[in-house]
Amino acid sequence: MIRYDVTDAVATITLDRPDAMNSLTADLKAGLLAALRDAAADESVRAVLLTGSGRAFCAGQDLREHADNLEAGRGLANTVREHYNPIVELITTMPKPVVAAVNGVAAGAGAALAFACDLRVASEKAKFAAAFSGIGLAPDSGMSWTLQRLMGPGRAAAHLLLGEPLDAARAFELGLVTRVVPADDVLKTAQELAVRLAAGPTKAYAATKQALAFAATHSLAESLALEADLQDACVATEDHQDATQAFLAKQRPTFQGK
């Protein structure tokens, strides 16, 4: 249910349950977490691309499996703590960029997976829906954290409470997606973006992700202090030193991710 491929320093992770709109079973979530861990640990991987097969990115939790758990008295079967939380935490803290290619519907936890990524390329046919309130649930998979940072607290509250779907154009207007492209171009565009990032200064990208996450919940003074520490670390990298020399020589820098 997960396809994993590494090309041009990009690990492409594809949710592969097209007949079920890539809805998330326990097995698929375990496979996704394992694939993300492989990508994070592989030094040859410098960017990650997450997408879905068929007509959907991810329709969220598989409700048939969820209904079976409810009937058996297992409730959520601990899937939020065991699967969703570590998946989202790994995407957001991974020391390399993660790009989502949203090829279709992204609903519930599926939308949350996209929002956890650093950049999102959406098909013009894509739709985003919180979906949680429609089945009597609160948001999970980090959506309470990511959504208001992308679109603001007021709009996030409206989207989560009302559960009204957003088309790709409106999602772009609200800052939820980075680019909107024709459906036939979404994977190609996302791949090109991921390859561009994979050829960049990987350690500087990791520091940027760390700085943004930290600044979201800390004071300016604390954020300035972390920025200084991160710059100290970046200035010691081979990429920074080589890029500085390339700049002085009026040459395009080549980054090695070191």
Short mmCIF file of all heavy atoms in Angstrom, two decimals, residues 60-93:
data_model
loop_
_atom_site.label_atom_id
_atom_site.label_comp_id
_atom_site.label_asym_id
_atom_site.label_seq_id
_atom_site.Cartn_x
_atom_site.Cartn_y
_atom_site.Cartn_z
N GLY A 60 -8.33 10.38 4.10
CA GLY A 60 -8.33 10.34 5.56
C GLY A 60 -8.48 8.93 6.10
O GLY A 60 -8.22 7.94 5.42
N GLN A 61 -8.90 8.85 7.34
CA GLN A 61 -9.05 7.57 8.01
C GLN A 61 -10.01 6.66 7.25
O GLN A 61 -11.06 7.09 6.78
CB GLN A 61 -9.58 7.78 9.43
CG GLN A 61 -9.94 6.51 10.18
CD GLN A 61 -8.76 5.60 10.43
OE1 GLN A 61 -7.67 6.06 10.73
NE2 GLN A 61 -8.96 4.29 10.32
N ASP A 62 -9.66 5.39 7.13
CA ASP A 62 -10.56 4.39 6.56
C ASP A 62 -11.71 4.17 7.54
O ASP A 62 -11.52 3.58 8.61
CB ASP A 62 -9.80 3.09 6.31
CG ASP A 62 -10.65 2.05 5.59
OD1 ASP A 62 -11.75 1.72 6.10
OD2 ASP A 62 -10.22 1.56 4.54
N LEU A 63 -12.90 4.66 7.19
CA LEU A 63 -14.01 4.61 8.14
C LEU A 63 -14.59 3.21 8.31
O LEU A 63 -15.23 2.93 9.32
CB LEU A 63 -15.10 5.59 7.70
CG LEU A 63 -14.73 7.08 7.85
CD1 LEU A 63 -15.89 7.97 7.46
CD2 LEU A 63 -14.27 7.40 9.27
N ARG A 64 -14.37 2.32 7.33
CA ARG A 64 -14.82 0.94 7.53
C ARG A 64 -14.01 0.28 8.65
O ARG A 64 -14.57 -0.39 9.52
CB ARG A 64 -14.67 0.15 6.22
CG ARG A 64 -15.62 0.59 5.11
CD ARG A 64 -15.50 -0.28 3.88
NE ARG A 64 -16.38 0.17 2.82
CZ ARG A 64 -17.66 -0.14 2.72
NH1 ARG A 64 -18.20 -0.94 3.64
NH2 ARG A 64 -18.39 0.30 1.71
N GLU A 65 -12.71 0.48 8.62
CA GLU A 65 -11.87 -0.06 9.69
C GLU A 65 -12.23 0.60 11.02
O GLU A 65 -12.30 -0.08 12.06
CB GLU A 65 -10.40 0.18 9.36
CG GLU A 65 -9.44 -0.42 10.39
CD GLU A 65 -7.99 -0.16 10.04
OE1 GLU A 65 -7.51 0.95 10.32
OE2 GLU A 65 -7.34 -1.08 9.48
N HIS A 66 -12.47 1.91 10.98
CA HIS A 66 -12.84 2.63 12.20
C HIS A 66 -14.15 2.10 12.77
O HIS A 66 -14.28 1.91 13.99
CB HIS A 66 -12.96 4.12 11.90
CG HIS A 66 -13.40 4.95 13.06
ND1 HIS A 66 -12.68 5.02 14.23
CD2 HIS A 66 -14.50 5.74 13.25
CE1 HIS A 66 -13.31 5.82 15.09
NE2 HIS A 66 -14.40 6.27 14.50
N ALA A 67 -15.14 1.85 11.90
CA ALA A 67 -16.42 1.33 12.37
C ALA A 67 -16.27 -0.05 13.00
O ALA A 67 -16.92 -0.37 14.01
CB ALA A 67 -17.41 1.27 11.20
N ASP A 68 -15.40 -0.87 12.42
CA ASP A 68 -15.13 -2.19 13.00
C ASP A 68 -14.52 -2.06 14.40
O ASP A 68 -14.87 -2.81 15.32
CB ASP A 68 -14.19 -2.99 12.11
CG ASP A 68 -14.84 -3.43 10.81
OD1 ASP A 68 -16.09 -3.40 10.74
OD2 ASP A 68 -14.10 -3.78 9.87
N ASN A 69 -13.62 -1.09 14.55
CA ASN A 69 -13.02 -0.86 15.87
C ASN A 69 -14.05 -0.41 16.89
O ASN A 69 -14.03 -0.83 18.05
CB ASN A 69 -11.90 0.17 15.76
CG ASN A 69 -10.65 -0.37 15.11
OD1 ASN A 69 -10.35 -1.57 15.20
ND2 ASN A 69 -9.89 0.49 14.44
N LEU A 70 -14.95 0.48 16.45
CA LEU A 70 -16.00 0.94 17.36
C LEU A 70 -16.90 -0.23 17.78
O LEU A 70 -17.25 -0.37 18.96
CB LEU A 70 -16.84 2.02 16.67
CG LEU A 70 -16.17 3.38 16.42
CD1 LEU A 70 -17.14 4.31 15.70
CD2 LEU A 70 -15.69 4.01 17.72
N GLU A 71 -17.28 -1.04 16.82
CA GLU A 71 -18.17 -2.17 17.12
C GLU A 71 -17.51 -3.16 18.08
O GLU A 71 -18.17 -3.77 18.92
CB GLU A 71 -18.55 -2.88 15.81
CG GLU A 71 -19.58 -3.97 16.00
CD GLU A 71 -20.03 -4.58 14.68
OE1 GLU A 71 -19.70 -4.02 13.61
OE2 GLU A 71 -20.74 -5.61 14.72
N ALA A 72 -16.18 -3.29 17.96
CA ALA A 72 -15.45 -4.23 18.83
C ALA A 72 -15.07 -3.59 20.16
O ALA A 72 -14.42 -4.25 20.99
CB ALA A 72 -14.19 -4.72 18.11
N GLY A 73 -15.47 -2.34 20.36
CA GLY A 73 -15.16 -1.68 21.62
C GLY A 73 -13.74 -1.17 21.73
O GLY A 73 -13.26 -0.87 22.84
N ARG A 74 -13.06 -1.05 20.59
CA ARG A 74 -11.67 -0.60 20.63
C ARG A 74 -11.53 0.91 20.45
O ARG A 74 -10.42 1.45 20.53
CB ARG A 74 -10.85 -1.30 19.53
CG ARG A 74 -10.65 -2.79 19.77
CD ARG A 74 -9.66 -3.38 18.78
NE ARG A 74 -10.21 -3.40 17.43
CZ ARG A 74 -10.85 -4.43 16.89
NH1 ARG A 74 -11.05 -5.53 17.61
NH2 ARG A 74 -11.30 -4.37 15.66
N GLY A 75 -12.62 1.61 20.21
CA GLY A 75 -12.57 3.05 20.03
C GLY A 75 -11.67 3.45 18.88
O GLY A 75 -11.78 2.93 17.77
N LEU A 76 -10.72 4.33 19.15
CA LEU A 76 -9.77 4.77 18.12
C LEU A 76 -8.62 3.79 17.94
O LEU A 76 -7.75 4.00 17.09
CB LEU A 76 -9.20 6.15 18.48
CG LEU A 76 -10.19 7.31 18.43
CD1 LEU A 76 -9.56 8.57 19.03
CD2 LEU A 76 -10.62 7.59 16.98
N ALA A 77 -8.59 2.74 18.73
CA ALA A 77 -7.53 1.72 18.65
C ALA A 77 -6.14 2.36 18.78
O ALA A 77 -5.17 1.86 18.21
CB ALA A 77 -7.64 0.92 17.35
N ASN A 78 -6.08 3.45 19.51
CA ASN A 78 -4.83 4.17 19.80
C ASN A 78 -4.11 4.67 18.55
O ASN A 78 -2.92 4.97 18.58
CB ASN A 78 -3.86 3.28 20.61
CG ASN A 78 -2.87 4.11 21.40
OD1 ASN A 78 -3.22 5.15 21.96
ND2 ASN A 78 -1.62 3.67 21.45
N THR A 79 -4.85 4.80 17.45
CA THR A 79 -4.18 5.16 16.19
C THR A 79 -3.67 6.59 16.18
O THR A 79 -2.69 6.89 15.50
CB THR A 79 -5.13 4.94 14.99
OG1 THR A 79 -4.36 5.02 13.78
CG2 THR A 79 -6.25 5.98 14.94
N VAL A 80 -4.29 7.51 16.94
CA VAL A 80 -3.81 8.89 16.95
C VAL A 80 -2.41 8.93 17.55
O VAL A 80 -1.49 9.53 16.99
CB VAL A 80 -4.77 9.81 17.73
CG1 VAL A 80 -4.18 11.20 17.87
CG2 VAL A 80 -6.12 9.88 17.01
N ARG A 81 -2.23 8.29 18.70
CA ARG A 81 -0.92 8.31 19.36
C ARG A 81 0.09 7.40 18.67
O ARG A 81 1.28 7.73 18.59
CB ARG A 81 -1.06 7.91 20.83
CG ARG A 81 -1.87 8.90 21.67
CD ARG A 81 -1.97 8.46 23.11
NE ARG A 81 -2.68 9.43 23.91
CZ ARG A 81 -4.01 9.47 24.04
NH1 ARG A 81 -4.76 8.56 23.41
NH2 ARG A 81 -4.59 10.38 24.80
N GLU A 82 -0.37 6.26 18.16
CA GLU A 82 0.55 5.28 17.60
C GLU A 82 0.95 5.60 16.16
O GLU A 82 2.09 5.30 15.75
CB GLU A 82 -0.09 3.89 17.64
CG GLU A 82 0.80 2.76 17.15
CD GLU A 82 0.14 1.40 17.24
OE1 GLU A 82 -0.89 1.29 17.94
OE2 GLU A 82 0.64 0.44 16.62
N HIS A 83 0.03 6.20 15.40
CA HIS A 83 0.29 6.43 13.98
C HIS A 83 0.33 7.91 13.60
O HIS A 83 1.35 8.42 13.14
CB HIS A 83 -0.78 5.72 13.13
CG HIS A 83 -0.81 4.24 13.28
ND1 HIS A 83 -1.93 3.54 13.64
CD2 HIS A 83 0.18 3.33 13.12
CE1 HIS A 83 -1.65 2.24 13.69
NE2 HIS A 83 -0.38 2.09 13.38
N TYR A 84 -0.80 8.59 13.78
CA TYR A 84 -0.89 9.96 13.25
C TYR A 84 0.12 10.91 13.89
O TYR A 84 0.78 11.67 13.19
CB TYR A 84 -2.31 10.50 13.43
CG TYR A 84 -3.33 9.85 12.53
CD1 TYR A 84 -4.51 9.29 13.05
CD2 TYR A 84 -3.13 9.77 11.16
CE1 TYR A 84 -5.44 8.69 12.23
CE2 TYR A 84 -4.06 9.17 10.32
CZ TYR A 84 -5.21 8.62 10.87
OH TYR A 84 -6.14 8.02 10.05
N ASN A 85 0.21 10.88 15.20
CA ASN A 85 1.13 11.82 15.85
C ASN A 85 2.58 11.64 15.41
O ASN A 85 3.24 12.62 15.03
CB ASN A 85 1.02 11.71 17.37
CG ASN A 85 -0.28 12.30 17.90
OD1 ASN A 85 -1.09 12.82 17.14
ND2 ASN A 85 -0.49 12.22 19.20
N PRO A 86 3.13 10.42 15.43
CA PRO A 86 4.52 10.28 14.97
C PRO A 86 4.72 10.57 13.50
O PRO A 86 5.78 11.07 13.10
CB PRO A 86 4.87 8.82 15.32
CG PRO A 86 3.58 8.13 15.56
CD PRO A 86 2.62 9.15 16.03
N ILE A 87 3.72 10.28 12.66
CA ILE A 87 3.84 10.60 11.23
C ILE A 87 3.97 12.10 11.03
O ILE A 87 4.87 12.59 10.34
CB ILE A 87 2.63 10.05 10.44
CG1 ILE A 87 2.72 8.53 10.31
CG2 ILE A 87 2.54 10.69 9.05
CD1 ILE A 87 1.47 7.88 9.75
N VAL A 88 3.06 12.86 11.64
CA VAL A 88 3.07 14.32 11.45
C VAL A 88 4.31 14.93 12.09
O VAL A 88 4.93 15.85 11.52
CB VAL A 88 1.77 14.93 12.02
CG1 VAL A 88 1.86 16.45 12.08
CG2 VAL A 88 0.59 14.50 11.16
N GLU A 89 4.69 14.45 13.25
CA GLU A 89 5.89 14.98 13.90
C GLU A 89 7.13 14.72 13.05
O GLU A 89 8.01 15.59 12.93
CB GLU A 89 6.05 14.36 15.29
CG GLU A 89 7.19 14.99 16.08
CD GLU A 89 7.24 14.53 17.53
OE1 GLU A 89 6.43 13.66 17.91
OE2 GLU A 89 8.08 15.05 18.28
N LEU A 90 7.20 13.56 12.42
CA LEU A 90 8.35 13.23 11.58
C LEU A 90 8.40 14.11 10.34
O LEU A 90 9.47 14.60 9.95
CB LEU A 90 8.32 11.76 11.20
CG LEU A 90 9.50 11.22 10.40
CD1 LEU A 90 10.82 11.56 11.06
CD2 LEU A 90 9.37 9.71 10.23
N ILE A 91 7.24 14.35 9.71
CA ILE A 91 7.21 15.22 8.52
C ILE A 91 7.66 16.63 8.88
O ILE A 91 8.47 17.24 8.18
CB ILE A 91 5.79 15.25 7.91
CG1 ILE A 91 5.44 13.89 7.30
CG2 ILE A 91 5.69 16.34 6.84
CD1 ILE A 91 3.98 13.79 6.84
N THR A 92 7.14 17.15 9.97
CA THR A 92 7.40 18.55 10.30
C THR A 92 8.81 18.78 10.84
O THR A 92 9.35 19.87 10.69
CB THR A 92 6.39 19.08 11.33
OG1 THR A 92 6.40 18.23 12.49
CG2 THR A 92 4.98 19.10 10.75
N THR A 93 9.41 17.77 11.44
CA THR A 93 10.74 17.94 12.03
C THR A 93 11.85 17.32 11.18
O THR A 93 13.02 17.45 11.53
CB THR A 93 10.80 17.34 13.45
OG1 THR A 93 10.56 15.92 13.37
CG2 THR A 93 9.79 17.99 14.36
#
